Amino acid sequence: MQAQEGTLAKRDFCDETGTCHKISDMLSRIGDKWTVLIVSYLGERQMRFSELRNTIGNISQKMLTSTLRKLERDGFVTRTVTPSRPPRVDYALTELGRDLLVPVQALADWSVKNADRIEQARARFEQDRAG
Amino acid sequence: MQAQEGTLAKRDFCDETGTCHKISDMLSRIGDKWTVLIVSYLGERQMRFSELRNTIGNISQKMLTSTLRKLERDGFVTRTVTPSRPPRVDYALTELGRDLLVPVQALADWSVKNADRIEQARARFEQDRAG
DNA sequence: CAGTATCCCCTTGGATACTG
DNA sequence: CAGTATCCAAGGGGATACTG
């Protein structure tokens, strides 16, 4: 067997057309502390700023604001201002944002399914380090 | 239409069983600066330390070492030492490591396919900010 | 209510020097 | 060759105070 059927080649996502840069950007973009959590909440329904903050619980205003701004900038969420007193701002996923959830969900499924394999590997690693 | 068919609910990957924690961990784990790049190179074939360093080009020894250690710890790569003079150390993906490439590839495909939608959203965002 | 501005800590990651 | 040890700069992210 010369070429393993299950093996994915580097060029599939790290070729010379900047592909690897794109996937790295995307991963670091959604791999931060809050993005996935926020997107997942907005995946259920539209929410206001304070609602998100209260639901998430331990997020700072600063990080909620900046994460939402980045998501808005990249076209993943919309920001709708209702100019009342007090003001009201609603956030919702765009089509692109809902689209993003599909591959993220796949990675989530993989993570859950293989969590104990990783845990076992870590236990083995610690074991070997101690022994 | 009460429940949109394309909408993914929060609980799908952020329920109360620690699932959201797992996906966040995984994303921040592979969302760092070097992991995907290294895993993608090892996806092509086994490589030695210096070979990886030369191929990647601009990675520091420190980051290559620590990234490889984490990958080894989590069971994604194997580390094989040949006690010669000078010593030789080979790194290769495990079954689990090759497995991981599948959902990562899906996310990579998505990133490439939607890169210009994101780019357009950014351009629009800058436009609106300026106007 | 929904932010912005400021300060400060901690982690990530690069550069350099040293070792088995 | 394949690391480890150390120092340092930049950015992520929290706490607090202030504003339209």
Side-chain angles (χ1 to χ4, degrees), chain B residues 13-70:
Chain B
F13 51 89
C14 283
D15 60 16
E16 288 70 31
T17 66
T19 300
C20 193
H21 191 243
K22 284 194 183 68
I23 173 62
S24 291
D25 271 5
M26 182 56 55
L27 278 171
S28 59
R29 176 68 193 75
I30 66 178
D32 66 5
K33 200 170 178 183
W34 299 112
T35 297
V36 168
L37 190 59
I38 292 174
V39 170
S40 70
Y41 274 118
L42 294 180
E44 293 207 298
R45 59 183 177 83
Q46 156 178 8
M47 289 176 93
R48 352 184 4 182
F49 186 88
S50 56
E51 208 174 356
L52 272 170
R53 180 152 55 103
N54 295 331
T55 308
I56 296 177
N58 56 341
I59 189 173
S60 63
Q61 276 176 316
K62 179 186 172 182
M63 289 317 297
L64 182 53
T65 302
S66 71
T67 305
L68 285 169
R69 282 293 171 286
K70 288 178 193 167

Side-chain angles (χ1 to χ4, degrees), chain B residues 35-131:
Chain B
T35 297
V36 168
L37 190 59
I38 292 174
V39 170
S40 70
Y41 274 118
L42 294 180
E44 293 207 298
R45 59 183 177 83
Q46 156 178 8
M47 289 176 93
R48 352 184 4 182
F49 186 88
S50 56
E51 208 174 356
L52 272 170
R53 180 152 55 103
N54 295 331
T55 308
I56 296 177
N58 56 341
I59 189 173
S60 63
Q61 276 176 316
K62 179 186 172 182
M63 289 317 297
L64 182 53
T65 302
S66 71
T67 305
L68 285 169
R69 282 293 171 286
K70 288 178 193 167
L71 286 170
E72 187 196 0
R73 186 187 67 129
D74 292 347
F76 295 133
V77 310
T78 56
R79 178 174 178 272
T80 310
V81 181
T82 307
S84 52
R85 282 295 306 264
R88 172 196 181 102
V89 180
D90 288 281
Y91 292 92
L93 286 191
T94 61
E95 173 81 31
L96 187 63
R98 283 191 296 273
D99 244 45
L100 175 64
L101 283 177
V102 177
V104 169
Q105 176 74 49
L107 193 53
D109 289 345
W110 190 93
S111 302
V112 173
K113 189 182 297 181
N114 294 280
D116 47 349
R117 288 171 79 184
I118 294 173
E119 209 44 59
Q120 283 164 23
R122 286 185 182 169
R124 235 179 297 125
F125 189 81
E126 294 303 316
Q127 188 77 14
D128 294 354
R129 223 171 51 98

